[in-house]
Structure formats: C-alpha cells, structure tokens
C-alpha cells in the first residue's frame, strides 16, 4: 500500500508538471501534491461484485429495479460476466500480470474458477475489481481553493463502459455571511491513464471546459470511456486524477472564505446506455442518472 501511494503521488506531480494548462501553472504546487494533505489510497468497501450480486438478487426475487436500463439488467443477469472470467482463466500468467494487473494470489484463485455463478460464492469477490481513491489539497486561500481527487483500479474491471469522477463543494464565510465559490473551468483539468501493459500507457487530458455541471457553484464532473481502442490494442482506464480549482465569486465586498467542505466520488457504469449523466442538486450531494456503482467516496475540509 505504501509503495502504491508513493507511485500515485509521483503520478500527480508528473501530471501537474506536464499536463496542467499553462494558465494554471502559478496555482499548482507540486510539493503540496507530494508531501502534505493527499491521503493514502484506500480500497473501497464496495466493488464490482456488490453491484452484480445486488442486481441479480433483485431480478431473481422479482423486485422492481429502478434507475437502470433493461439492457443492463439483461447483461448482468446473463452468463456474460462468468464467461469473461472463464476467458481470463484460460490466459497465461504473463498476460494476466502484464495486461490485467493480476497478482499471484488472484491468478491462483482464477485458475480454480469453473464457471460458478458469482452470487453463489462470496469468495469470488476476490476476482472482481476494487477501486482505491484519495483526496487532497493543492492550494488554499480566502479567495481560491484547489483540490485533487485520485483513483486507481487494482486490476482490470470485468465490465467497462463509461466512468465519472465528480466533486462537489460547499463554502462557509467569515462572520456567517453569504458568498459563493465558482468552478474555474480554465485552470481545472483531469488526466486519465489508459493501460495495456507497463510499456503501453496512454494519458488522456480533459480540460475543465469539457467538464460537466448543471451548477458550477456546487460541483463539476469529468466523464470518460473505461476502455479505448488504439493501434490494434484495447486500453483500459486504470488510474487518473482530477484537479479542481474554485474561486470566491465576490472578492471585493466579501465576506472572505472561512472553510470549504468538498466531497468526491467515482461512478462506474456497467453498461453503455443513454442513462449516464450527473447533477449537483444541493449541498455536497451528487446525483448520477441511472444506477452506476458508486465507489471511492472521499471528503476533505480545508481552511485558509
């Protein structure tokens, strides 16, 4: 875990130095990314297994399944996921390690897999992917805040369509006054690293102007395909970082910012349907269209 944390922090530093828009350079402090409030990547308690089993149990018991397409229900309740595991079990150790990022113990468990339904054996959870995430401060002042949210899959997810990284925020102001914190689309950005092997990685940068938000005083999100095709290879989105900068709206009259509370989460859609979308209705809440698996939830409170 310590080794992975250092690796991700170094990644953040590289992203800041290489992929930050030029106008953002003065706001980004690489030493902060490396040394201060970025927390250790923590594995999520909920992974692909939980979502798959939840939908299958609901369908089996004829319960109404809301917020999810019939296409997704059909996919999850079919044998497609078990067939994917059987396919992976047929691959060599070299491919599983280099292209899927499996460890020796997971490969050992995979070799014993015989097509059993996931929901019949909780130990099969070890064969499904888990996300780790962290959140930390980039810059702080009474008029401007910067927050980085970082995520990473331990190995290749079983299903890969559309993913979202989203962040919301709420400020409180000096003397209990009123003001707002506005998303800065021109200096915010995200970088997603697509992975085929250690020697084949493709970073894709998303500028803040491409982020999605129905309320830029409350939150913003970046969406990206969980898999892409390039030069005869399928790359999958293994890890990435979202750098969000927000500014005090009324800086002349104030009041100045007293405290900023932020919340971030990762949404993993299991079927590519026209249901994906995000909104920021109020406070720190984030609302995703459809029924993605919500993972990597993190909170951070910053004072100038």
């Amino acid at each position: 875990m310590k080794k992975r944390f250092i690796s991700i922090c170094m990644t953040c530093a590289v992203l800041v130095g290489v992929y930050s828009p030029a106008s953002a350079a003065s706001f980004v402090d690489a030493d902060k990314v490396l040394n201060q409030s970025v927390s250790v990547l923590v594995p999520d308690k909920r992974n692909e297994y939980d979502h798959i089993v939840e939908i299958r149990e609901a369908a089996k018991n004829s319960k109404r399944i809301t917020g999810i397409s019939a296409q997704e229900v059909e996919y999850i309740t079919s044998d497609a996921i078990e067939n994917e595991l059987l396919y992976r079990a047929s691959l060599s150790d070299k491919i599983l390690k280099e292209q899927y990022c499996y460890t020796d113990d997971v490969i050992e468990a995979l070799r014993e897999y015989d097509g059993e339904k996931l929901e019949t054996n909780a130990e099969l959870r070890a064969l499904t992917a888990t996300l780790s995430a962290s959140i930390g401060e980039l810059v702080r002042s009474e008029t401007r805040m910067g927050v980085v949210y970082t995520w990473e899959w331990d190995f290749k997810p079983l299903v890969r369509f559309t993913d979202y990284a989203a962040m919301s925020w709420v400020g409180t102001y000096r003397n209990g006054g009123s003001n707002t914190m506005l998303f800065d689309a021109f200096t915010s950005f995200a970088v997603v690293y697509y992975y085929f092997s250690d020697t084949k990685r493709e970073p894709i940068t998303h500028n803040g102007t491409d982020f999605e938000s129905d309320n830029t005083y409350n939150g913003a999100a970046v969406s990206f395909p969980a898999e892409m095709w390039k030069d005869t290879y399928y790359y999958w989105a293994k890890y990435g970082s979202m750098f969000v900068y927000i500014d005090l709206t009324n800086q002349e009259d104030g009041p100045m910012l007293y405290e900023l509370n932020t919340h971030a989460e990762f949404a993993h859609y299991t079927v590519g349907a026209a249901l994906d979308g995000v909104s920021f209705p109020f406070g720190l809440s984030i609302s995703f269209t459809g029924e993605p698996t919500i993972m990597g939830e993190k909170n951070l409170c910053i004072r100038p």
Side-chain angles (χ1 to χ4, degrees), residues 102-123:
Y102 277 132
T103 57
D104 288 331
D105 56 337
V106 176
I107 292 175
E108 183 179 352
L110 188 63
R111 296 297 182 215
E112 298 177 358
Y113 181 68
D114 60 1
E116 183 180 6
K117 286 287 189 180
L118 289 185
E119 64 272 24
T120 64
N121 185 353
E123 292 184 2

Side-chain angles (χ1 to χ4, degrees), residues 2-20:
K2 184 176 180 181
K3 182 178 180 181
R4 175 179 293 179
F5 170 55
I6 294 173
S7 174
I8 288 297
C9 285
M10 290 299 293
T11 298
C12 289
V14 171
L15 298 184
V16 169
V18 179
Y19 294 100
S20 174

Side-chain angles (χ1 to χ4, degrees), residues 200-213:
K200 290 186 174 65
R201 305 187 190 196
E202 289 290 333
I204 302 295
T205 303
H206 300 262
N207 293 322
T209 51
D210 298 325
F211 282 26
E212 299 179 32
S213 180

Side-chain angles (χ1 to χ4, degrees), residues 27 139-146 181 184 187 245-247:
F27 300 115
V139 64
R140 69 168 80 188
S141 76
E142 290 185 329
T143 59
R144 183 174 177 86
M145 289 287 187
M181 295 293 290
D184 184 351
T187 58
Y245 294 92
I246 48 180
D247 294 310

Side-chain angles (χ1 to χ4, degrees), residues 13 56 96 117 121 148 163 166 190 224-225 244 285:
R56 286 183 172 182
L96 290 173
K117 286 287 189 180
N121 185 353
V148 56
D163 288 335
F224 51 92
V244 174
S285 61

